[in-house]
Amino acid sequence: MGKIFDVEFMIEIIPDILKGIPYTMTLAVISFIVGLFIGLIGALIKIYKVPVLRFITGVYVSFFRGTPLIVQILLFYYGIPILLRIINQRFGTSFDVSGVPAMVFMLVAFSVSSGAYLTESIRAAIISVDKGQLESAYSVGMNTTQAMIRIVLPQAVKVALPVFANFFIGLLKDTSLAFAASVTEIMGQAKIEAGRASRFFEAYIDAALIYWAICIIFEFLVVRMERNVRKNERGMEK
Amino acid sequence: MIDIRGVQKSFKNTVVLRGVNLTVEEGETVALIGSSGSGKSTLLRCINLLETPDHGSITIGDYKFKAHDISRHTKKEVRKRTGMVFQNFGLFENKTALENVTEALIIVQKKKKAEAIEIGRYYLDKVGMINRADYYPIALSGGQKQRVAIARALALNPQIILFDEPTSALDPELVQEVLHVIKQASDEKMTMLIVTHEMDFAREVADKVAFMDEGVVLEAAPPEKLFFHPEHERTKQFIDRYMQRFSYSI
């Protein structure tokens, strides 16, 4: 009869589970950055009520916010190969699906999903900036792009930062779903180790602690960033 | 010099401007008075195209545009020639007082940073705000913010500065410091169009006072004439009511 809870095993497999960190971080960071770009474009389309695109953005946001992430992951995982096959058939190209790592599918899936959420967060942050700021930027001769980049977006970031931080933490943990597409991120590694010795609880405890540790480090960074974007509240430049 | 001819503007079903004519000569200070809703602010906003007029034409110095022919280029040219001071100050919240002044010098007028800072400090000094150059708007009083806003408008060296009720959002004891700065600019022959409810100030500083009523400039005349010998009954009523307001004793 073995131990009920094997502490030694739990410690022993930590290095193996840590191997998943680069995948987890790559997924979270890249999808977040791409999501920010998509979100900014989506937010501007919505704010400026761009015809046609506005409708497409609406459907996009609605769909990706209205379906579970795990379903989206599976749709991308099975959908992209089918899409490529159709393209190959129609245009006589020869994209090889099997050559594309699962990680790439997941990067696409997480980015697109993040973009939908961030579209709404960024839109809310931009419209929270007083309309007078844009008008006074116009009054001194700035065009819309200059006014956005120099005046409105920096103030929107201040509003959005806590929301972004919250979203990023959520995203970081959601990357654990990528194991469903056989990406060996933290959760994928933990599952492999767990299966190898049939010690599931130990492996998952490790995974939990690792996620938690990453989030604590991240929260610490956010506090510092917030201090930086809120520097105007200190009243004066030191 | 600016010349406004037949400017009309409606918002949905509300007609706000019904064909405004008004001329501000170079170096002149014109006070624009009238009841709330008479279209004063809308007129100001049509001049620098924060609102797009429906009809009419406006000349600002050497540049003339017509209401039906306004492009991005028009806006750029118009805003190059006009400065604006808002009721709610409109200072960039993410910039210090000095940066508020230098921002457009650098970004719009493409001046070197060192030169912009020199100009910025000069104008902050002029409005008595040089010792607050590194303060963010959040740390300034209303009067201080408005003085920085005036410095920002002056620094761009426009052909006219438009003031949209510059003292209406201020605590009473802060009004004077702002009026003082505006008077100073007027004395230096800056061309200015000021929407105001400060009748004493209008009388003292303006070369000409224009009375707006129901979307038109009913009459424009030197202050002594407009305040004491107005041509229209409507003007007289408005001015009497104003004088009365300050004659209450408690």
Side-chain angles (χ1 to χ4, degrees):
Chain A
M1 183 77 191
K3 296 179 202 160
I4 295 173
F5 184 80
D6 192 341
V7 178
E8 264 170 49
F9 175 76
M10 190 183 101
I11 294 167
E12 184 193 301
I13 60 171
I14 287 177
D16 289 315
I17 298 178
L18 288 177
K19 282 183 200 152
I21 288 183
Y23 291 98
T24 299
M25 292 312 290
T26 309
L27 260 180
V29 173
I30 303 230
S31 331
F32 182 70
I33 291 170
V34 177
L36 277 181
F37 275 108
I38 299 175
L40 179 61
I41 294 166
L44 292 175
I45 288 172
K46 284 196 150 195
I47 288 169
Y48 285 100
K49 301 191 168 70
V50 182
V52 188
L53 288 179
R54 174 193 181 194
F55 176 73
I56 295 170
T57 308
V59 173
Y60 158 66
V61 171
S62 167
F63 179 80
F64 282 95
R65 289 207 305 179
T67 50
L69 186 56
I70 185 73
V71 176
Q72 293 166 18
I73 287 169
L74 295 172
L75 284 179
F76 274 98
Y77 191 62
Y78 293 107
I80 294 179
I82 291 175
L83 188 74
L84 283 180
R85 239 180 287 156
I86 292 172
I87 292 173
N88 282 345
Q89 225 171 46
R90 181 149 310 171
F91 301 102
T93 49
S94 53
F95 295 116
D96 183 16
V97 189
S98 55
V100 183
M103 182 71 174
V104 174
F105 293 130
M106 288 307 97
L107 280 172
V108 175
F110 279 93
S111 298
V112 170
S113 171
S114 302
Y117 280 95
L118 290 172
T119 293
E120 283 307 310
S121 311
I122 294 174
R123 188 180 73 90
I126 291 176
I127 58 178
S128 80
V129 176
D130 180 17
K131 195 165 159 268
Q133 293 287 306
L134 191 61
E135 289 195 340
S136 65
Y138 285 151
S139 81
V140 296
M142 289 192 211
N143 59 36
T144 306
T145 314
Q146 290 167 333
M148 272 291 161
I149 292 173
R150 310 276 317 177
I151 307 299
V152 177
L153 290 181
Q155 294 182 51
V157 166
K158 201 174 97 172
V159 178
L161 199 64
V163 182
F164 286 171
N166 203 20
F167 177 81
F168 185 79
I169 287 179
L171 176 64
L172 196 77
K173 293 177 297 174
D174 283 346
T175 58
S176 62
L177 292 173
F179 84 86
S182 61
V183 172
T184 52
E185 40 66 70
I186 296 171
M187 191 60 195
Q189 288 287 358
K191 225 172 143 60
I192 292 168
E193 295 303 321
R196 205 160 50 86
S198 289
R199 286 208 169 268
F200 294 92
F201 188 63
E202 286 85 344
Y204 293 148
I205 283 265
D206 281 342
L209 291 177
I210 292 169
Y211 280 115
W212 191 17
I214 296 174
C215 287
I216 288 173
I217 295 169
F218 175 72
E219 277 163 11
F220 174 74
L221 288 175
V222 171
V223 171
R224 297 189 52 161
M225 267 196 283
E226 257 196 78
R227 227 176 278 159
N228 198 29
V229 296
R230 289 187 174 274
K231 66 179 177 189
N232 72 329
E233 285 174 13
R234 288 201 301 268
M236 65 177 290
E237 194 98 285
K238 60 217 167 289
Chain B
M1 194 272 290
I2 80 161
D3 191 36
I4 300 159
R5 287 293 130 211
V7 167
Q8 298 181 22
K9 173 72 182 172
S10 304
F11 294 102
K12 295 207 174 110
N13 296 323
T14 316
V15 184
V16 181
L17 302 179
R18 301 171 189 272
V20 173
N21 298 315
L22 183 66
T23 307
V24 182
E25 299 295 344
E26 195 167 334
E28 205 176 41
T29 299
V30 174
L32 195 55
I33 61 170
S35 330
S36 307
S38 59
K40 307 180 299 290
S41 291
T42 305
L43 176 63
L44 229 54
R45 294 166 60 83
C46 281
I47 296 172
N48 73 349
L49 295 177
L50 286 181
E51 302 291 351
T52 310
D54 301 330
H55 294 285
S57 67
I58 296 177
T59 309
I60 303 167
D62 56 340
Y63 190 78
K64 180 174 179 169
F65 65 92
K66 290 194 164 68
H68 54 81
D69 190 21
I70 290 166
S71 63
R72 201 177 292 187
H73 177 76
T74 317
K75 290 184 181 174
K76 193 177 147 201
E77 292 299 317
V78 165
R79 288 170 187 162
K80 207 158 76 181
R81 290 167 171 78
T82 54
M84 185 146 188
V85 175
F86 297 86
Q87 184 175 350
N88 293 315
F89 326 121
L91 288 188
F92 305 134
E93 297 290 334
N94 58 330
K95 306 273 175 194
T96 62
L98 181 62
E99 287 166 349
N100 262 278
V101 183
T102 57
E103 182 71 10
L105 291 170
I106 298 167
I107 301 303
V108 180
Q109 298 190 352
K110 312 286 180 203
K111 289 194 162 58
K112 291 260 186 318
K113 199 174 171 197
E115 192 193 350
I117 289 176
E118 199 181 315
I119 298 172
R121 294 185 66 86
Y122 171 79
Y123 282 99
L124 281 184
D125 190 33
K126 229 175 145 79
V127 300
M129 287 296 294
I130 192 69
N131 57 347
R132 295 283 186 275
D134 294 330
Y135 282 54
Y136 285 97
I138 199 163
L140 301 176
S141 72
Q144 292 175 328
K145 282 188 216 179
Q146 198 60 300
R147 284 188 281 150
V148 173
I150 293 170
R152 178 172 75 181
L154 287 170
L156 293 167
N157 194 24
Q159 301 192 4
I160 183 167
I161 299 184
L162 311 165
F163 292 81
D164 190 5
E165 303 196 23
T167 58
S168 297
L170 294 177
D171 292 340
E173 72 265 32
L174 301 178
V175 170
Q176 284 311 317
E177 63 183 64
V178 172
L179 293 183
H180 172 76
V181 169
I182 299 174
K183 180 166 181 348
Q184 188 183 308
S186 170
D187 290 343
E188 292 179 12
K189 295 295 163 208
M190 183 73 221
T191 310
M192 306 195 288
L193 180 55
I194 308 174
V195 171
T196 186
H197 292 291
E198 300 284 337
M199 295 302 153
D200 290 333
F201 175 74
R203 229 161 78 190
E204 192 192 338
V205 173
D207 299 299
K208 198 162 80 184
V209 180
F211 174 65
M212 262 191 98
D213 188 46
E214 296 189 348
V216 292
V217 171
L218 207 54
E219 58 183 304
E224 295 310 314
K225 177 165 192 316
L226 192 117
F227 282 114
F228 299 108
H229 309 287
E231 280 177 17
H232 290 78
E233 188 54 29
R234 187 69 196 90
T235 317
K236 191 171 178 308
Q237 280 173 4
F238 176 78
I239 288 166
D240 285 350
R241 207 161 4 123
Y242 244 95
M243 296 307 170
Q244 211 178 40
R245 188 186 293 184
F246 297 109
S247 64
Y248 289 123
S249 52
I250 302 167

